[in-house]
Amino acid sequence: MQRITLLIVPGLIVIALFVGISNIDSIVTPTESNSELQTLDFSAYSEGINTILYNIEGQINYTLQATRQIHYNNNVTELSEPFIKLYENGDSRWNIVADSGKISAIESENNTSTQIIELTGNVEVYSLDEFGNRVLLSTEFLTLDPQLEILKTDVAVTFVTQTLKQTSMGMIGNLKLDEFTFFSDIRGSYEQATN
């Protein structure tokens, strides 16, 4: 009886190994349909980035920091927790933070490429003027042309200064000129500044 048990146990082990290896082999062998899924669709991945971009005069135009950046093969870059600083005459003037972002290259009419940054989730644009007065703009979605320093949104936006609080549905802002145009459902309150 022990001889039969000694023959049956190794035989069962061999059969189990054969069945297991056959199943693993069929899982690992790619078919034509899933071989496309195995190709990488991104060309770069980085964490803790800090990028400095310069204008044509060689001055800092803006800086971009993010906790993570993934650049895809279609020239779209996704950002986690982006922080953008826009510079004017060598000084940081406007700061922009968000939960996530996406950079896309857009071809213009004269065959030049412009980068547009889409920011999503808890987007805040803030600045201090030369007198220390804070300006804060907050929304859930915003597009930024960092070269022209143009902001756009078509969702709810709140604009707050020391003396003004204004809400609107949609807005366009020119940060170089400090001009903001609000689109619709505009509501606001104004307080006199205290000295």
Side-chain angles (χ1 to χ4, degrees):
M1 185 73 156
Q2 287 184 342
R3 289 171 110 177
I4 293 176
T5 305
L6 289 175
L7 290 176
I8 292 176
V9 171
L12 290 174
I13 292 173
V14 168
I15 291 171
L17 285 172
F18 176 76
V19 170
I21 290 172
S22 296
N23 287 339
I24 290 173
D25 191 34
S26 68
I27 292 171
V28 172
T29 305
T31 63
E32 191 171 309
S33 63
N34 74 3
S35 64
E36 295 174 12
L37 298 175
Q38 294 178 353
T39 61
L40 293 176
D41 63 346
F42 65 94
S43 59
Y45 174 88
S46 56
E47 292 189 12
I49 67 146
N50 188 11
T51 305
I52 302 171
L53 294 113
Y54 297 89
N55 60 21
I56 56 175
E57 290 89 28
Q59 297 176 331
I60 296 176
N61 188 29
Y62 69 97
T63 62
L64 170 65
Q65 297 174 350
T67 57
R68 184 178 67 229
Q69 171 181 301
I70 302 172
H71 181 75
Y72 292 94
N73 293 332
N74 62 355
N75 285 331
V76 172
T77 303
E78 288 185 0
L79 306 166
S80 294
E81 300 175 3
F83 175 54
I84 301 167
K85 282 186 174 186
L86 300 172
Y87 284 78
E88 184 178 306
N89 299 325
D91 294 324
S92 172
R93 177 91 160 70
W94 288 94
N95 301 298
I96 306 169
V97 295
D99 291 341
S100 62
K102 180 172 77 170
I103 302 173
S104 303
I106 297 178
E107 294 293 324
S108 65
E109 296 169 0
N110 56 2
N111 293 331
T112 59
S113 180
T114 302
Q115 288 189 336
I116 298 297
I117 303 173
E118 293 180 357
L119 301 165
T120 306
N122 298 315
V123 182
E124 290 188 349
V125 181
Y126 57 94
S127 175
L128 290 176
D129 66 12
E130 61 272 9
F131 304 109
N133 298 316
R134 183 179 168 102
V135 174
L136 173 65
L137 184 136
S138 57
T139 186
E140 283 301 311
F141 176 79
L142 187 74
T143 61
L144 166 68
D145 181 335
Q147 297 299 328
L148 299 176
E149 296 186 13
I150 301 291
L151 306 172
K152 293 180 186 175
T153 187
D154 57 0
V155 300
V157 61
T158 302
F159 184 83
V160 179
T161 68
Q162 190 173 8
T163 58
L164 173 73
K165 180 177 181 181
Q166 182 167 314
T167 60
S168 172
M169 187 59 71
M171 175 231 48
I172 186 167
N174 184 331
L175 299 180
K176 286 184 178 180
L177 302 175
D178 292 334
E179 290 180 355
F180 298 90
T181 304
F182 299 95
F183 296 149
S184 64
D185 198 21
I186 301 166
R187 303 210 190 292
S189 60
Y190 177 79
E191 292 181 23
Q192 189 172 4
T194 56
N195 291 332

